[in-house]
Amino acid sequence: MNNALATIVACALLAGCQQVPRPETTTDAAGNTLTQWPVPAAAGSAQPDLSLAPDGRLLLSWIKPYDKSRHALQYTTFDRQGPWQWTPKTIAVGASMVVNWADTPHVAATADGTIWAHWLQKTRGEDGGAAYDVIVTHSVDDGLTWSAPVRAHDDGKAVEHGFVSFWPAARDRLGMAWLDGRNTGGAHAAHAAHDGGNGTAEGAGMMSLRAATIDTASRIADAVEVDPSVCDCCGTDVAVTARGPLLVYRDRTDNEIRDIHATRLEGDAWRASRVVHADGWKIAACPVNGPAVAAAGDNAVVAWYSAAGDMPKVQLAYSVDAGDTFAAPVQVDAGEAVQGRVDVALDAKQAWVAWLREDAAGQSLWLARYAPDLSRELSRTQVAKLQGRGRATGFPKLAVRDGEAFLVWTDVAAGVPQLHGMRIAPPR
């Protein structure tokens, strides 16, 4: 092949020799390098999840419209060397898939290479209200095929189940925690929490927190109730410490105190939960604003939103004993503009926390970096100004690999959601 022909062929393969633009890079006042990180999700995509696999790949999932009546759950990976696996793989397609700004699917990997995913499947409540189940599937061939989907729970009740967290329970087994409405007395009672109610009705019980494991034969085991009374629709989160998985969630007392609690799995039993910090936030409705946790060895950091005393704020608390105790919290941000919707990450050199603000000028996404023990703030960066407002922008997702932070979020322009990404490298 002569040089001219080779050039023509190469140009054809590169879609007409169009040069792929280099991602825009900026440096903030603290010396952090921010690099745009385009993600391979089509317009209309939202509800992202971002996790770090044992082999170092980043796993990103999202939901997008598939046709006029169905949605698709998709995922892709970002290797250590990059770039993205640019053609997404479809996990599931369905007309009954729950598409919710807060209660979103997750994707994760275990050490044997299995990819795990969950979504929420609508059912018809016994009282005619909405209900849904936690559906789990896995792939042992890097997403080419997926196992028959199974329910994470066996109560058989048409009530709400959701706000799931994943962790590796073994090399080839996944741990799961979720909010479970089997004691609430019906889907309508639980669903009231999403509309500003307290999620209960006369004679109804409370939303509970449950956990189980699943293996690659799709067998559910170790099912247990972790806490009989929790906030109805605040997300849960798990990080694996040197002493076992640390699970955080928003608790709910009889007199409607909804502070953040933590519990750790020791052997086959979950410890009695302990409050991360006694904010004393009394609210007779679910704020739909759960905590986030990250861990490295025995060290753990929890981030959360509270509006105790009618003052919205984002706080961080640090533990040196895998969640047995937490130091007094650090206040990250406060004021009416603070929306919360936090995520957090931790490595040997720093702790990261992401959160949203919204004021008259619009929404903005922020990222702060602290010393690992939270003793000092290292930097604070406005990562993006968003066009979207309110709940449509959902929850940002944060992961850290090799000292670099990776952040994914949803923005909405002209009514159409779109995923965006940013890489943040601290100064060396």
Side-chain angles (χ1 to χ4, degrees):
M1 181 181 296
N2 61 39
N3 290 339
L5 181 58
T7 300
I8 293 172
V9 172
C11 286
L13 293 174
L14 292 174
C17 289
Q18 293 181 357
Q19 185 176 2
V20 178
R22 294 179 62 86
E24 181 180 341
T25 297
T26 59
T27 302
D28 67 10
N32 298 303
T33 301
L34 285 74
T35 304
Q36 290 182 346
W37 191 40
V39 298
S45 300
Q47 294 84 41
D49 189 54
L50 184 66
S51 65
L52 181 63
D55 63 5
R57 292 184 297 170
L58 290 166
L59 278 61
L60 173 67
S61 68
W62 62 88
I63 294 178
K64 67 177 291 291
Y66 186 78
D67 55 28
K68 291 183 178 180
S69 63
R70 294 181 294 174
H71 285 83
L73 173 60
Q74 297 185 317
Y75 93 102
T76 191
T77 60
F78 187 82
D79 294 339
R80 283 191 179 277
Q81 295 77 26
W84 285 105
Q85 184 183 73
W86 204 255
T87 302
K89 295 176 180 176
T90 298
I91 299 169
V93 176
S96 298
M97 188 178 293
V98 174
V99 180
N100 183 289
W101 69 279
D103 199 350
T104 60
H106 291 307
V107 63
T110 43
D112 65 339
T114 301
I115 306 294
W116 303 84
H118 101 277
W119 68 91
L120 303 179
Q121 190 83 16
K122 297 176 186 176
T123 62
R124 175 60 62 180
E126 296 173 358
D127 60 357
Y132 44 82
D133 294 331
V134 174
I135 305 299
V136 185
T137 186
H138 67 272
S139 174
V140 296
D141 54 14
D142 200 22
L144 295 177
T145 60
W146 293 86
S147 66
V150 298
R151 289 177 176 81
H153 41 87
D154 62 359
D155 56 304
K157 292 187 176 182
V159 294
E160 292 188 0
H161 311 80
F163 294 98
V164 177
S165 291
F166 282 169
W167 70 91
R171 187 176 185 276
D172 58 354
R173 193 165 77 251
L174 184 75
M176 308 173 289
W178 67 92
L179 302 190
D180 192 294
R182 67 183 66 188
N183 300 325
T184 60
H188 178 73
H191 189 74
H194 293 269
D195 299 319
N198 62 15
T200 60
E202 186 176 353
M206 296 292 190
M207 184 70 73
S208 62
L209 176 64
R210 298 186 66 87
T213 63
I214 184 171
D215 64 17
T216 50
S218 297
R219 294 174 296 204
I220 306 293
D222 309 312
V224 63
E225 183 180 79
V226 179
D227 191 319
S229 177
V230 301
C231 198
D232 307 83
C233 47
C234 280
T236 65
D237 199 16
V238 174
V240 178
T241 74
R243 305 186 199 180
L246 180 65
L247 171 61
V248 295
Y249 58 97
R250 193 177 294 280
D251 192 53
R252 181 181 179 185
T253 68
D254 291 342
N255 60 344
E256 299 290 15
I257 301 298
R258 305 200 190 204
D259 288 343
I260 304 304
H261 278 225
T263 177
R264 193 176 66 240
L265 181 62
E266 294 185 343
D268 297 328
W270 291 93
R271 295 180 48 154
S273 73
R274 302 180 181 184
V275 66
V276 174
H277 180 257
D279 295 322
W281 189 14
K282 186 170 185 176
I283 176 173
C286 179
V288 198
N289 220 322
V293 62
D298 282 333
N299 300 323
V301 174
V302 177
W304 74 97
Y305 170 87
S306 175
D310 295 323
M311 176 54 70
K313 52 185 172 291
V314 169
Q315 299 179 101
L316 280 175
Y318 179 66
S319 173
V320 297
D321 49 21
D324 284 349
T325 60
F326 285 89
V330 171
Q331 183 171 285
V332 177
D333 199 1
E336 292 300 321
V338 174
Q339 300 293 298
R341 300 191 230 164
V342 300
D343 205 359
V344 69
L346 178 67
D347 60 23
K349 293 185 177 180
Q350 57 247 315
W352 308 77
V353 58
W355 74 101
L356 287 171
R357 295 174 55 89
E358 182 171 341
D359 55 23
Q363 279 194 358
S364 54
L365 174 61
W366 292 77
L367 182 69
R369 188 166 56 91
Y370 287 81
D373 61 357
L374 310 184
S375 60
R376 67 188 189 282
E377 182 178 306
L378 303 176
S379 65
R380 177 174 298 238
T381 303
Q382 180 178 283
V383 176
K385 293 183 178 180
L386 280 59
Q387 299 181 64
R389 286 179 173 266
R391 294 176 168 182
T393 54
F395 284 71
K397 297 296 181 178
L398 174 66
V400 168
R401 184 179 71 185
D402 300 332
E404 182 180 19
F406 297 79
L407 191 58
V408 176
W409 67 94
T410 305
D411 201 357
V412 181
V416 179
Q418 179 69 65
L419 298 189
H420 298 267
M422 189 74 75
R423 301 173 66 168
I424 304 95
R428 297 186 180 276

